[in-house]
Structure formats: C-alpha cells, structure tokens
Amino acid sequence: ADGAVTRAIEIVRNRIDRFGVSEPSIVKKGTSRIAVELPGVSDGERVRRLLRGTARHEFRTMADPSSLSRALSSIVQFYNG
C-alpha cells in the first residue's frame, strides 16, 4: 500500500507540473491520503478535473515478434557466456 501511495504522489506531481503551478505542495498524509496545495490557483474545478483524469496506456504490436525473442536470446547468451 505504501508503494501505491508513493506512485500516486508521482502521478499527481506529474499532472500538477503540466498545470504549470509554481511551488506546489504534494505530501503524504497518514498511510493512504495525499494533500495537495496549489498557491495562486483560482480555478479549483479545473485542477480537480486534471487530478481525476484516468491514465491512458498504449500498447503496440511489434512488426516481427520473433526479433524480440532473438534479441533476448542473444542477451542471455552474452551474460551466461
């Protein structure tokens, strides 16, 4: 759980950085809460929408999946001698 909160703080910090707030305060409170203070921000609803946003992951298929297998085999052989 502690790792999840730490990762959540990183995500919040990245989103706040995109918002352009100078000197934000993002701190862990207790074991499962995060406090965010943004001095000088007048549009609180915009910040809430930014923080509530869902992350998007993108997956792409490889043109030749066997090339990954060959590369991995080469790496393993290199380290195993």
Side-chain angles (χ1 to χ4, degrees):
D2 192 50
V5 173
T6 301
R7 178 69 182 131
I9 289 172
E10 291 175 24
I11 291 167
V12 168
R13 185 172 311 282
N14 289 336
R15 290 181 182 184
I16 294 298
D17 287 346
R18 282 187 275 152
F19 191 69
V21 176
S22 61
E23 299 186 34
S25 172
I26 305 166
V27 294
K28 182 177 174 182
K29 294 284 187 174
T31 59
S32 62
R33 297 180 61 94
I34 300 170
V36 178
E37 294 178 0
L38 306 172
V41 172
S42 58
D43 190 353
E45 188 55 37
R46 181 173 173 219
V47 173
R48 285 184 194 90
R49 284 192 309 268
L50 177 71
L51 294 177
R52 284 187 202 144
T54 304
R56 287 180 279 216
H57 296 278
E58 188 173 311
F59 297 93
R60 297 181 183 193
T61 58
M62 294 177 57
D64 180 14
S66 63
S67 64
L68 176 62
S69 178
R70 286 191 304 270
L72 183 57
S73 293
S74 295
I75 293 169
V76 170
Q77 286 176 353
F78 176 81
Y79 283 106
N80 288 336

